[in-house]
Amino acid sequence: MKFCNKLTFVIFTFNEEKRIERVLRNLTGWGHVLIVDNHSTDATSEIAEKYGATVFSNKNVGWVEDEETVALIKRTVQTPWIYWGFADEMLDEQTLIGIVDTIESNKYKIISLARKNFYYGKFCHDAYADRINRVFEKDALDFTGNKIHSFGRAVVPESEIYYMDARKFYVRHFISNTAKIYIATIDRYTDIQSQRNDFSGSFKLFARLGKAFLKNYFFDGGYKAGMPGLFFVLQMMYYQCILSMKTYERQFFLDVNNIEKINNEERESILQQQNK
């Protein structure tokens, strides 16, 4: 274990008493730990304090990469480096060593790190694996106007960004949601994201969904996880469908009242024909 005094692991939580202990055991001793808690009503804060983590309460806006939240975290963190993480994630030892060694080398200002998913407890390989600038010096990323599911803009030369080898170093993302829970989560996130999107048309939607299925299920190994891999890919495609629907509704003013007006026109047409 190599403690890095330059690094703070920032972990966002809300009612995570069942998972936070393992995250704290995973990260304690490698750097400072700051729990940013969204006003939990369970024992999340108490468990975090037991392990020596600093707890900071902050009510977020439904997501945590918005410009205001990032600015608040940057002011709160006392170290030059930040790791941006969540209670459903963990790092293996070689990845932790790689992060600390990269920071201590003083060669880079951003570490780009992949995240790979476990769905229904099965490793989904590279299916919907993402890569973001997850470990960074405070001033190396600009979050001005940042959008949901984005992660700022690098303001340092490309030579100061270290891309850790995704074959060996990556964040383990343990998804524990059931279908019922995911429907509520998708509804919440697509509400936010659809406000800034434009509908791209049916052809592009079909093309995007087809490409997503081929890439993530076949080429990126989702099929290796069996049915969990298939369900994971389909769930992510469902997200895109709901997002497109909500974007289309917003763009063409299709709320319940306007849809009812359109339907009433057809109803009146039926009645007029009936009365002839």
Side-chain angles (χ1 to χ4, degrees):
M1 187 175 296
K2 304 168 68 173
F3 185 84
C4 181
N5 200 43
K6 301 176 182 177
L7 173 64
T8 296
F9 294 95
V10 176
I11 307 298
F12 293 90
T13 60
F14 176 67
N15 289 347
E16 293 288 0
E17 65 180 8
K18 293 180 180 179
R19 296 192 284 199
I20 193 61
E21 181 177 353
R22 287 186 174 86
V23 176
L24 292 163
R25 287 166 56 195
N26 182 213
L27 302 178
T28 299
W30 295 92
H32 304 278
V33 180
L34 173 67
I35 301 298
V36 181
D37 187 66
N38 191 27
H39 294 195
S40 291
T41 57
D42 66 2
T44 298
S45 296
E46 290 81 353
I47 296 170
E49 290 170 349
K50 172 186 171 184
Y51 278 86
T54 301
V55 178
F56 177 71
S57 294
N58 178 61
K59 190 66 179 176
N60 64 51
V61 296
W63 55 298
V64 297
E65 295 88 8
D66 63 291
E67 183 178 345
E68 291 76 16
T69 300
V70 175
L72 179 61
I73 298 308
K74 286 183 178 182
R75 291 195 300 269
T76 304
V77 170
Q78 300 299 306
T79 60
W81 281 82
I82 293 173
Y83 170 93
W84 201 268
F86 301 89
D88 57 358
E89 300 172 340
M90 291 183 70
L91 301 167
D92 70 359
E93 185 176 34
Q94 71 170 349
T95 301
L96 284 162
I97 292 172
I99 290 171
V100 171
D101 285 347
T102 302
I103 291 172
E104 296 292 0
S105 74
N106 295 317
K107 295 180 180 179
Y108 304 97
K109 294 187 176 180
I110 294 174
I111 300 173
S112 176
L113 191 58
R115 182 178 74 166
K116 300 186 181 184
N117 303 288
F118 288 75
Y119 198 81
Y120 290 155
K122 297 292 186 180
F123 181 51
C124 293
H125 298 268
D126 290 330
Y128 285 99
D130 60 11
R131 175 184 281 278
I132 63 171
N133 297 324
R134 182 179 286 264
V135 195
F136 56 95
E137 286 193 354
K138 290 181 182 179
D139 297 328
L141 291 176
D142 179 11
F143 286 83
T144 302
N146 197 51
K147 297 180 180 180
I148 189 170
H149 295 152
S150 299
F151 204 74
R153 176 178 61 88
V155 292
V156 298
E158 185 71 15
S159 60
E160 294 182 352
I161 303 175
Y162 179 62
Y163 295 88
M164 296 189 77
D165 186 348
R167 294 169 297 181
K168 297 187 294 184
F169 308 106
Y170 54 89
V171 179
R172 269 77 170 167
H173 181 212
F174 297 96
I175 301 169
S176 57
N177 292 341
T178 60
K180 186 178 183 65
I181 295 172
Y182 241 126
I183 288 171
T185 302
I186 288 171
D187 185 46
R188 178 166 58 89
Y189 277 119
T190 52
D191 270 354
I192 299 169
Q193 194 171 357
S194 63
Q195 297 306 309
R196 298 189 178 187
N197 279 28
D198 291 319
F199 184 69
S200 57
S202 57
F203 178 80
K204 287 185 178 180
L205 175 60
F206 281 128
R208 188 163 63 248
L209 292 174
K211 180 180 178 181
F213 185 78
L214 290 173
K215 178 181 185 299
N216 291 285
Y217 186 70
F218 290 107
F219 299 124
D220 288 344
Y223 71 92
K224 296 178 183 178
M227 288 305 297
L230 176 61
F231 286 140
F232 177 52
V233 172
L234 292 177
Q235 172 249 302
M236 296 299 287
M237 293 170 65
Y238 173 72
Y239 183 103
Q240 289 299 318
C241 289
I242 296 300
L243 176 59
S244 294
M245 289 175 67
K246 289 186 178 181
T247 302
Y248 181 84
E249 290 167 359
R250 177 187 57 81
Q251 192 166 326
F252 293 96
F253 307 101
L254 294 171
D255 59 15
V256 172
N257 290 332
N258 285 335
I259 294 171
E260 193 67 6
K261 288 178 182 179
I262 296 169
N263 288 337
N264 281 340
E265 291 176 3
E266 183 63 25
R267 291 176 179 127
E268 285 297 326
S269 174
I270 292 170
L271 292 173
Q272 289 173 11
Q273 292 178 21
Q274 179 180 326
N275 293 331
K276 284 182 179 180

